């Protein structure tokens, strides 16, 4: 078994941009690779944060900082191809200056199981990136937690008692241990503890190479079923993930978005699937 640990922040646009790659890894190595997440806390306090490379920070007016972030997200989206919505984006305010609450929220979700916590993380990413929701507010995070099926009372108790925050602090310590300063970054390791550290945004091919190296070539990529139609394969993946962007689906199936849209036309016409425009992209869900 190979484990991919992503050092991440729920609000990081390049972590959002890595979702198609991780989902492709999950699809092509369904029984041999698992993904877990360590929260890195991208912004402790935006008043003290500055990313000179991307032109973010250095402003006392947080509305201007939000504009800087929105501009960066649009530019990043042009590269990683995942949709973003910047209209109405106002993540940081005088009362809410950190991304830490979203990190802690995920840690609270983990007490109810990895699978549901990872669905919650995905939902926070979607809300931040494509709905311009203020995911550093407790009421917004609670709404998202409930939407994925987390037990509201337990989640609130773990948030307010400090239990989740203590687990987040452990994650921060692990980031320091591995000297992680860029998100996403990855530790790919086998079940003996042997690992490869990949810093920054990574390609699918980089994960292929790491898996091949750690398994001495024993773990093989699963090929797409050539007997299945593109329509059938797409429907299966939409059902599996419940919510998936058009780009993600095309990336996993190794086809163009135009080709995929044509293949999905029949499913859309019959109202088997729904296509929803978000920002500069689309989500696909089962009707």
């Amino acid at each position: 078994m190979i484990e991919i640990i992503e050092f991440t922040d729920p609000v990081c646009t390049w972590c959002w941009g890595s979702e198609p790659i991780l989902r492709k890894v999950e699809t092509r190595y369904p029984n041999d690779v698992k993904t877990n997440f360590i929260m890195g806390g991208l912004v402790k306090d935006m008043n003290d944060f500055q990313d000179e490379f991307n032109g973010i920070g250095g402003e006392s007016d947080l509305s201007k900082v939000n504009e800087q972030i929105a501009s960066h997200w649009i530019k990043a989206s042009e590269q990683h191809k995942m949709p973003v919505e910047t209209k109405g984006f106002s993540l940081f305010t005088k009362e809410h200056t950190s991304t830490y609450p979203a990190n802690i929220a995920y840690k609270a979700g983990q007490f109810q199981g990895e699978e549901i916590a990872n669905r919650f993380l995905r939902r926070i990413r979607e809300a931040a990136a494509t709905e311009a929701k203020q995911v550093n507010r407790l009421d917004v995070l609670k709404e998202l937690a409930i939407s994925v099926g987390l037990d509201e009372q337990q989640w609130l108790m773990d948030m307010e008692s400090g239990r989740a925050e203590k687990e987040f602090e452990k994650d921060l310590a692990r980031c320091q241990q591995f000297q992680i300063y860029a998100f996403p970054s990855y530790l790919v390791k086998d079940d003996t503890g042997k690992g490869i550290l990949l810093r920054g945004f990574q390609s699918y091919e980089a994960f292929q190479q790491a898996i091949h190296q750690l398994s001495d070539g024993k773990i093989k990529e699963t090929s797409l079923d050539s007997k299945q139609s593109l329509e059938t394969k797409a429907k299966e993946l939409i059902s599996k993930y419940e919510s998936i962007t058009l780009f993600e689906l095309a990336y996993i199936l190794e086809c163009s978005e135009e080709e995929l849209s044509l293949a999905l036309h029949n499913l859309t016409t019959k109202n088997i699937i729904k296509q929803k425009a978000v920002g500069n992209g689309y989500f696909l869900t089962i009707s």
Side-chain angles (χ1 to χ4, degrees), residues 213-231:
Q213 182 177 335
L214 288 169
S215 69
D216 293 324
K218 293 176 183 177
I219 294 179
K220 304 292 186 183
E221 180 188 48
T222 301
S223 299
L224 294 171
D225 189 346
S226 59
K227 295 179 181 179
Q228 280 188 322
S229 67
L230 186 58
E231 178 184 311

Side-chain angles (χ1 to χ4, degrees), residues 10-26:
V11 180
C12 169
T13 189
W14 283 102
C15 297
W16 172 236
S18 297
E19 290 284 287
I21 298 160
L22 291 178
R23 283 185 163 186
K24 185 172 182 177
V25 170
E26 185 178 64

Side-chain angles (χ1 to χ4, degrees), residues 39 100 104 107 162-176:
M39 296 295 108
Y100 278 24
I104 297 167
K107 300 306 294 183
R163 186 184 182 205
E165 187 171 0
K166 288 179 181 177
E167 291 302 310
F168 173 52
E169 289 170 356
K170 292 178 184 178
D171 278 13
L172 291 178
R174 291 197 69 186
C175 288
Q176 290 183 340

Side-chain angles (χ1 to χ4, degrees), residues 172-241:
L172 291 178
R174 291 197 69 186
C175 288
Q176 290 183 340
Q177 176 189 350
F178 288 100
Q179 297 183 322
I180 302 298
Y181 306 112
F183 304 112
S185 287
Y186 301 89
L187 178 62
V188 185
K189 65 177 186 175
D190 62 18
D191 48 16
T192 70
K194 180 182 177 183
I196 298 170
L197 191 60
L198 303 173
R199 297 186 184 278
F201 182 80
Q202 299 294 321
S203 66
Y204 175 72
E205 289 73 24
F207 289 113
Q208 276 184 309
Q209 184 177 352
I211 293 165
H212 180 83
Q213 182 177 335
L214 288 169
S215 69
D216 293 324
K218 293 176 183 177
I219 294 179
K220 304 292 186 183
E221 180 188 48
T222 301
S223 299
L224 294 171
D225 189 346
S226 59
K227 295 179 181 179
Q228 280 188 322
S229 67
L230 186 58
E231 178 184 311
T232 300
K233 287 184 280 193
K235 183 183 175 184
E236 287 181 356
L237 284 169
I238 297 168
S239 297
K240 174 184 176 180
Y241 287 113

